Amino acid sequence: METRPEATFGYLSPDDIGLFTDRYELTMLRGYRETDHTPSGTFSLFFRSLPTDRGYVIAAGLEQAIAYLQDLTFGEAQLAHLNEQGFPDSFLDYLAEFEFTGDVCAVPEGTAVFPNEPLLEVTAPIDQAQLFETLLINQIGFQSLIATKAARMCDTVRRHGEEQTLVDFGSRRAHGTDAGLKAARGAYVGGFDGTSNEAAGKLFDIPVFGTMAHSWVQSFASERAAFEAFVDVYGEDSVLLVDTYDTLAGAKTAVEVARDTGVDIRGVRLDSGDLAALSQDVHEILPSGMDIFVSSGVDEFFLREFFADGGVADGFGPGTSLTTSKDAPTLDPVYKLVAVEEGGEMQPSMKLSEGKVTYPGRKSIRRFTRDGSFQRDILARADDDVGGEELLVDVVRDGDLVYEFPALGDIRERSFDTLQQLPVDVRATEDPAEYPVEISDGLTATADRVQSTLRQEMDL
């Protein structure tokens, strides 16, 4: 019998986390070490512009990012791999003892953020801080993207529907197992009620929901036999998929099975056709108390039209459009050096690349609220006194965790509260209004000064 290759399921062991980086990070790390150039640096993780039709982004993924940062190690197998790649023993010895000793501040998960506002800032010896670029962008960027997509769907249901349930159905269409798991978590942060994925339910303590597939119905001699067998096992928890052959006929059969078995089944699921129109017809067929659950192509745009067309449903199962954020598949976050130590003092630093200019120095995000509604933000220097509520909180100090991560349910509630306080026009499904983010006078002056100095030095 042949030995099969070792299976990989998209989950990295603690020993492998250190290798989840791009080669140029390791190349720079080695260079920093061998040139004895390891000043402290501050890196800021942010996005420059909002994705299509987005008026805000919901921050997510911080807990996983910090866990990876604190648990990162290089095991023997990983060091052997790097040795095969040509890295010298002296560098591998450094990696074998790697430990993060810096500081991290971040916006709590479930908070709305806007362009140029840092979701997270890392201050540490530059060789340490540099290593985490790929990992932090990956974890925070993806979950924030999905949490935002989910929040938009939840907001659409709250504004146009009647508090219908939303369940993540998308793990099978996600771009890998890790993406499926993190999408389920991000969706819950954004306000979803649960997931269909059992592993995500276990890992993150998220409620898990499930119905049946068309294959169940097809495997029996008749649709009625399939429904009877399912109800025999699951009783009142049964949700019957009624569109395998003919949706309205299937709904009538579901009602007959419930009547003949004496079981008050939970409901039916619709997964194809003109779902708004079919849901109305099915609603007329079903007795009071039997739910309608709708899946297939569900997103915020679908939901808006579904309700506008008089669709009837008690819950929805978004899939592909959720876990891939189909209409806007990237947040395009960046991780940029904004300050570097010179002569024992942290000095602001910035890029001047066309279209990619960064604001220099450590930041502060101040939010101003009036009568329970967000009015504006000010992006400022960390030492600016501009009033408002500070959004960035200390998470790690000198390598030690100083932040108590809230329960996932509490983060979900923060997302809900955040949406309620955002102006309605900023939450619009299409062409949202721009939320006002001002740049403080201090940060503007610092940016002008650093830019002038750099241009003089380069004789531009």
Side-chain angles (χ1 to χ4, degrees), residues 105-320:
C105 64
V107 169
E109 294 186 90
T111 303
V113 290
F114 303 95
N116 296 309
E117 296 182 340
L119 286 82
L120 171 146
E121 286 194 332
V122 177
T123 300
I126 196 167
D127 52 325
Q128 295 182 26
Q130 187 76 64
L131 178 62
F132 294 103
E133 177 176 3
T134 301
L135 186 62
L136 294 177
I137 288 176
N138 174 274
Q139 292 299 311
I140 293 177
F142 178 69
Q143 283 203 53
S144 297
L145 181 74
I146 302 305
T148 305
K149 184 70 172 174
R152 284 164 56 82
M153 295 188 211
C154 292
D155 194 40
T156 302
V157 166
R158 293 188 189 106
R159 286 193 286 154
H160 303 289
E162 297 178 350
E163 299 294 325
Q164 284 89 348
T165 298
L166 284 164
V167 178
D168 153 45
F169 269 21
S171 57
R172 68 183 62 193
R173 302 289 173 79
H175 297 159
T177 53
D178 187 64
L181 295 173
K182 300 299 170 54
R185 184 184 185 276
Y188 196 68
V189 167
F192 269 43
D193 297 283
T195 180
S196 65
N197 190 278
E198 205 68 51
K202 175 180 180 296
L203 287 171
F204 304 121
D205 194 24
I206 300 173
V208 181
F209 298 83
T211 60
M212 62 164 61
H214 294 103
S215 56
W216 174 274
V217 178
Q218 292 175 261
S219 70
F220 286 83
S222 69
E223 186 174 55
R224 182 184 178 93
F227 288 174
E228 289 174 339
F230 200 82
V231 171
D232 184 55
V233 176
Y234 294 103
E236 293 183 354
D237 291 331
S238 299
V239 176
L240 306 178
L241 182 58
V242 297
D243 68 343
T244 303
Y245 306 116
D246 179 274
T247 301
L248 300 185
K252 292 175 183 177
T253 300
V255 172
E256 292 171 1
V257 168
R259 181 195 62 209
D260 294 346
T261 60
V263 176
D264 294 326
I265 66 174
R266 182 176 177 183
V268 301
R269 177 161 72 97
L270 312 182
D271 190 58
S272 58
D274 184 341
L275 292 168
L278 285 170
S279 71
Q280 296 174 61
D281 293 338
V282 169
H283 177 67
E284 293 297 320
I285 294 170
L286 301 183
S288 176
M290 191 178 292
D291 293 344
I292 298 174
F293 198 81
V294 172
S295 53
S296 183
V298 177
D299 64 6
E300 63 270 43
F301 306 103
F302 167 90
L303 290 167
R304 182 185 59 186
E305 298 305 316
F306 181 88
F307 293 126
D309 292 342
V312 181
D314 300 277
F316 299 94
T320 306

